[in-house]
Amino acid sequence: MEDVTLIVDAKGLACPMPIVRTKKAMKDIAPGSIVEVQATDQGSTADLKAWAQKAGHGYLKTVEEDQSLKHYLRVGSNDLNERKFPHVIDNKGLQSVIDGDSNFIIVDVREKRDYDEQHIQGARSIPFGELRERMHELRKDQTIYVVCRTGNRSDLAAQALADHGYHNVVNVVPGMSQWNIKGGNQR
């Protein structure tokens, strides 16, 4: 591995904080530099890989060491604007859909242990890191509501689905972090 220019400590942080901390740290780093992001969130591998691609940075690799992950990114041009997924619904809007519509599916892209802890009744667990391999499980004629903890990982997942021909995709924001507060049902 080439020389690391910057180490970002994101250990103990859950999505979206590893990305937020990395994005802030990389702001003034020269293009071509190597950044090492240290994290403990297992979902951070898929998150950082997708975010790097979306933001114009290069994802190099991830190395697992003890109980932590070391992600290596090559800084790209800092003049790119990240693309946000345009179709968004808030938690109350999703609750209205649940109460009235029937041709939809909710896909929870958090890690399995987070889904097992709390999820929206009827939601299907497809962790973001497995989404590309499991997209075939979803129907293109249904509206797909994508949920995560805060709306960041689900933004990346919604974009990935749209890029693969799923046209009725909606990102749920702020997601599970405020599902109870917003009045949504939970299991």
Side-chain angles (χ1 to χ4, degrees):
M1 175 58 55
E2 299 173 40
D3 289 336
V4 172
T5 303
L6 176 70
I7 296 175
V8 177
D9 183 358
K11 291 181 267 182
L13 302 177
C15 180
M17 293 312 296
I19 291 173
V20 170
R21 189 166 282 178
T22 302
K23 184 178 178 178
K24 185 176 180 180
M26 288 174 64
K27 192 173 77 167
D28 298 320
I29 302 295
S33 300
I34 304 294
V35 175
E36 176 184 301
V37 182
Q38 299 174 350
T40 51
D41 178 7
Q42 290 299 312
S44 66
T45 301
D47 294 347
L48 284 165
K49 190 182 289 187
W51 171 78
Q53 179 182 10
K54 183 168 121 172
H57 303 295
Y59 170 82
L60 302 175
K61 68 179 181 177
T62 296
V63 176
E64 193 163 349
E65 229 174 61
D66 298 321
Q67 296 294 325
S68 68
L69 302 166
K70 291 183 178 181
H71 307 287
Y72 295 92
L73 308 173
R74 183 177 308 280
V75 178
S77 171
N78 288 325
D79 0 343
L80 295 172
N81 286 324
E82 284 183 55
R83 188 172 51 145
K84 283 287 189 187
F85 193 72
H87 307 291
V88 178
I89 192 169
D90 66 11
N91 288 6
K92 285 186 181 188
L94 179 60
Q95 184 61 58
S96 295
V97 169
I98 291 169
D99 293 341
D101 197 354
S102 62
N103 191 30
F104 71 93
I105 184 168
I106 300 168
V107 176
D108 190 322
V109 294
R110 297 174 300 150
E111 293 299 304
K112 181 82 168 95
R113 70 179 176 279
D114 298 323
Y115 173 87
D116 289 344
E117 214 171 88
Q118 172 195 19
H119 63 270
I120 299 169
Q121 186 173 356
R124 174 183 247 166
S125 174
I126 302 180
F128 182 57
E130 300 174 15
L131 184 62
R132 290 196 193 280
E133 298 86 42
R134 295 182 58 194
M135 279 185 195
H136 68 276
E137 297 175 20
L138 304 172
R139 293 184 7 215
K140 291 186 178 183
D141 65 332
Q142 279 188 313
T143 300
I144 302 170
Y145 293 93
V146 187
V147 67
C148 69
R149 190 173 72 80
T150 61
N152 190 58
R153 187 177 291 172
S154 57
D155 179 84
L156 298 170
Q159 190 62 58
L161 286 165
D163 289 347
H164 283 85
Y166 292 82
H167 300 293
N168 302 314
V169 181
V170 181
N171 183 20
V172 181
V173 176
M176 296 306 295
S177 66
Q178 295 183 28
W179 185 249
N180 293 335
I181 296 168
K182 295 289 184 180
N185 293 332
Q186 88 172 47
R187 179 178 178 268

